[in-house]
Amino acid sequence: MSRTDAEVYHVAFLTLSQAGTMADGRRLARAALDVFADDPTWCSDVIRSRGRSPFTYDTAAGLTGPGVPTAVAARSAARAMARAAAVPHRGDEEWYGAAGIMVEVIWHAGRAAGVPPLEGRQTCQDHLRDFHGR
């Protein structure tokens, strides 16, 4: 994991935020979705890494846009990214908690992109089953 990884996640966040303002932001959401690895614990590390400074995810709270499912899902993904970034680095509980939130990000981003949620992401599906009983 590098500073560049965190910067790519910043771009994915901004892309999802933009997709959340559009009636049909599926192409943008798909571009953001393609950034995320099928490894929620790695995603957890990236979203909470020092490389994200001084980037802020605070703008997620004020996102608005049309009420169409694509836009709502894109905004949900961006807001989940903000929640994951705010999880402190204390131990495994926080690490896995942030990983679970990143699965949520990927789920919503998939919905916004118009693809079945978690399609082709077996590790994300395993994380949901093993840690969240879903």
Side-chain angles (χ1 to χ4, degrees):
M1 172 182 39
S2 70
R3 179 177 176 93
T4 303
D5 295 327
E7 291 169 349
V8 170
Y9 275 38
H10 303 164
V11 172
F13 169 79
L14 294 171
T15 302
L16 287 166
S17 296
Q18 181 63 35
T21 68
M22 304 168 70
D24 187 4
R26 284 182 290 192
R27 290 177 60 189
L28 287 175
R30 181 62 196 205
L33 177 63
D34 288 345
V35 165
F36 303 116
D38 182 26
D39 183 345
T41 53
W42 187 83
C43 292
S44 170
D45 285 340
V46 172
I47 196 73
R48 298 179 311 132
S49 72
R50 292 181 187 208
R52 67 185 174 88
S53 296
F55 189 85
T56 178
Y57 289 93
D58 292 344
T59 58
L63 291 175
T64 61
V68 297
T70 298
V72 171
R75 290 191 305 270
S76 295
R79 289 184 183 120
M81 285 184 79
R83 285 196 329 274
V87 174
H89 284 274
R90 289 196 195 122
D92 285 351
E93 185 175 328
E94 288 82 5
W95 185 41
Y96 287 115
I101 297 169
M102 287 306 298
V103 171
E104 181 183 342
V105 169
I106 295 165
W107 176 282
H108 288 299
R111 288 185 53 233
V115 299
L118 304 182
E119 178 180 57
R121 294 180 182 266
Q122 189 60 52
T123 306
C124 288
Q125 293 174 23
D126 293 347
H127 184 88
L128 278 179
R129 183 193 66 238
D130 296 344
F131 294 99
H132 302 283
R134 297 182 198 166

